[in-house]
Amino acid sequence: MTMVGVSYSSIPTFFACDGEKLDQLLVRWLGKRDLEEAILVSFGFNPQYKSKDATLGHRLERLADMTEVVLVTTLRQETSDGPVRHFAAFQRMISAGVKILIHDNLHAKTFLFRRGDKVCWVVGSSNLTAGGLSKNTELNVAGYVVADYQAVYSQVKGIIEAARPL
Amino acid sequence: MVVRKEPVVLPTRIMACDGWILNRKLIGWLKDNTTMEITIVVYRYHDLVFDAPRIASTGQQGLIHALAKAADRGVQLTFVTRDPLTDNADPMRPEAISGWYRGLKRLAQIEGTRVLIHNNLHAKIYLVKRGDEKVFYAVGSSNLTYQGMGFRWEECNVVGYSPLEYQEVEKQVGRIISGREILGLAEWKLKASKNLANARFLAYLV
């Protein structure tokens, strides 16, 4: 995947991406075997959304085998995609070791990945659903700068602390 | 030999914030006399009162009044929002469409202001250009509603001021605005009125 963005070194430090580009980015990061941390905060989450060869739920299950995967979502009715509609898939993810947290007032869509000293952060409007990753007109911003990652992480930390396990 | 890339060690140029902080930033940008251009691209908007969890009950206290005041001062305003009539995921009540349309109509009447309706929008983007060439952008999950601006929902947005990053976001806004899914308010109303499925909403588009 070619990422065009703002670059202060050999890789882009900041870029904007629509839902489809975000989908490609997620496939790439969730496929990294040596990932140390994956935090997905998404109002809507459809574990059955499939891109390339696997569903989102399956990707998280595979990843949770080796790394800490945290998914924060909501049980609210405004989203049709979530634990209520996809109960069995959420159960499978929990069994595989995915830490699923519920936040009653969540609307954020933020994704964080860390592998050693390499990081990736994404903040935007894309839910992890078919709408957010392929159908709607979305905008997300992302980057690989550690200090920016930490800035986003501090915001997400508050959300995680206010959430409860499913 | 494996060549290991060095991590990107740079100071942060962004601020991650919730809806309330974005609310305060937005107020500041709207009141700032040096603001020259504001572009707002949001899935949903209400004529919200910035300091309270409610929609303005008079035309003098809410978002639309603040935007109109800024536009009257010469701020070049572009306001893009989602067509509520094509939104099956979260449909708007007909009575709410009345307020939605009234606010946009007021803005569209101000010379130099662009009001555009997008039939597939879900992005939330805020761009500000100041006279001293400083720029600000905000991208995230906050709609321009009281829920999104700090009074109900937990949001995450990024605010930044780097001109290069601003250009990157501005380029994406250009892509959204130049798409086929977009119409001016008057064209949108005309098109909506020709669709029989919208009949129950038409009485509210005045």
Side-chain angles (χ1 to χ4, degrees):
Chain A
M1 174 178 50
T2 311
M3 275 296 176
V4 181
V6 178
S7 180
Y8 298 95
S9 69
S10 58
I11 58 168
T13 54
F14 177 95
F15 54 92
C17 58
D18 60 12
E20 284 177 31
K21 289 227 171 68
L22 172 64
D23 190 22
Q24 294 168 36
L25 183 89
L26 291 171
V27 166
R28 202 155 53 98
W29 277 88
L30 294 175
K32 289 185 194 291
R33 301 290 99 188
D34 52 351
L35 202 64
E36 286 165 29
E37 188 176 53
I39 301 172
L40 306 155
V41 178
S42 184
F43 168 65
F45 184 86
N46 180 356
Q48 285 160 339
Y49 175 74
K50 192 172 181 179
S51 55
K52 294 210 169 161
D53 58 332
T55 62
L56 260 175
H58 192 208
R59 282 184 204 286
L60 296 196
E61 286 166 37
R62 279 194 306 208
L63 191 62
D65 211 22
M66 290 160 285
T67 186
E68 185 173 325
V69 182
V70 178
L71 168 64
V72 189
T73 187
T74 182
L75 289 172
R76 283 212 318 276
Q77 295 300 311
E78 290 97 326
T79 174
S80 55
D81 285 315
V84 176
R85 183 172 175 189
H86 304 284
F87 186 68
F90 269 80
Q91 273 191 319
R92 277 197 303 275
M93 286 195 292
I94 291 171
S95 305
V98 179
K99 189 174 171 186
I100 300 177
L101 302 173
I102 298 299
H103 191 300
D104 292 332
N105 294 321
L106 187 71
H107 192 245
K109 306 98 172 51
T110 302
F111 316 106
L112 294 161
F113 305 102
R114 185 171 56 79
R115 182 174 60 134
D117 50 19
K118 303 260 192 322
V119 296
C120 176
W121 62 269
V122 184
V123 173
S125 62
S126 280
N127 285 299
L128 298 181
T129 61
L133 297 173
S134 66
K135 292 181 186 163
N136 298 339
T137 299
E138 307 275 4
L139 190 69
N140 307 284
V141 288
Y144 300 118
V145 175
V146 173
D148 294 344
Y149 174 93
Q150 284 163 347
V152 176
Y153 183 83
S154 336
Q155 185 65 30
V156 165
K157 202 171 155 226
I159 295 175
I160 290 175
E161 283 168 0
R164 63 180 192 280
L166 178 64
Chain B
M1 188 179 74
V2 177
V3 179
R4 191 176 156 81
K5 275 186 190 167
E6 286 303 308
V8 185
V9 183
L10 285 169
T12 185
R13 300 162 318 284
I14 62 155
M15 181 179 84
C17 66
D18 59 14
W20 177 247
I21 299 286
L22 183 59
N23 174 328
R24 298 293 92 185
K25 292 259 170 213
L26 205 55
I27 293 249
W29 294 330
L30 281 169
K31 288 185 176 168
D32 186 343
N33 283 329
T34 65
T35 298
M36 301 288 286
E37 209 176 305
I38 298 179
T39 302
I40 294 173
V41 180
V42 284
Y43 166 64
R44 276 282 163 94
Y45 97 90
H46 295 152
D47 191 8
L48 74 141
V49 176
F50 283 98
D51 292 328
R54 62 186 173 86
I55 295 171
S57 53
T58 76
Q60 300 300 313
Q61 54 181 199
L63 164 78
I64 295 298
H65 180 67
L67 288 172
K69 244 172 96 176
D72 285 341
R73 221 172 52 226
V75 174
Q76 200 183 322
L77 179 68
T78 301
F79 195 93
V80 187
T81 192
R82 168 73 181 250
D83 177 352
L85 303 181
T86 62
D87 186 4
N88 299 320
D90 189 10
M92 205 185 273
R93 286 175 296 109
E95 313 83 70
I97 285 182
S98 170
W100 176 88
Y101 180 73
R102 210 173 38 241
L104 296 181
K105 194 173 148 193
R106 182 171 169 199
L107 290 182
Q109 284 165 348
I110 301 167
E111 202 182 317
T113 295
R114 280 196 299 173
V115 177
L116 302 167
I117 311 299
H118 192 292
N119 76 4
N120 192 32
L121 187 71
H122 192 247
K124 303 97 168 63
I125 312 163
Y126 305 84
L127 292 175
V128 176
K129 262 187 197 168
R130 285 200 335 201
D132 57 5
E133 297 192 348
K134 282 206 170 129
V135 288
F136 301 94
Y137 67 85
V139 175
S141 61
S142 279
N143 283 303
L144 203 33
T145 58
Y146 68 80
Q147 294 95 331
M149 287 287 138
F151 287 103
R152 184 176 299 170
W153 289 352
E154 194 67 62
E155 309 279 8
C156 188
N157 305 288
V158 157
V159 178
Y161 54 86
S162 147
L164 285 175
E165 294 172 2
Y166 178 92
Q167 280 170 22
E168 174 75 2
V169 176
E170 192 181 37
K171 198 168 70 188
Q172 298 295 326
V173 169
R175 176 182 61 80
I176 293 170
I177 288 179
S178 61
R180 280 183 306 165
E181 300 97 341
I182 209 148
L183 290 172
L185 188 65
E187 293 167 280
W188 171 83
K189 188 184 172 188
L190 190 64
K191 191 180 170 198
S193 64
K194 287 179 180 166
N195 186 345
L196 280 178
N198 296 329
R200 71 194 175 106
F201 296 107
L202 295 182
Y204 296 95
L205 301 180
V206 287

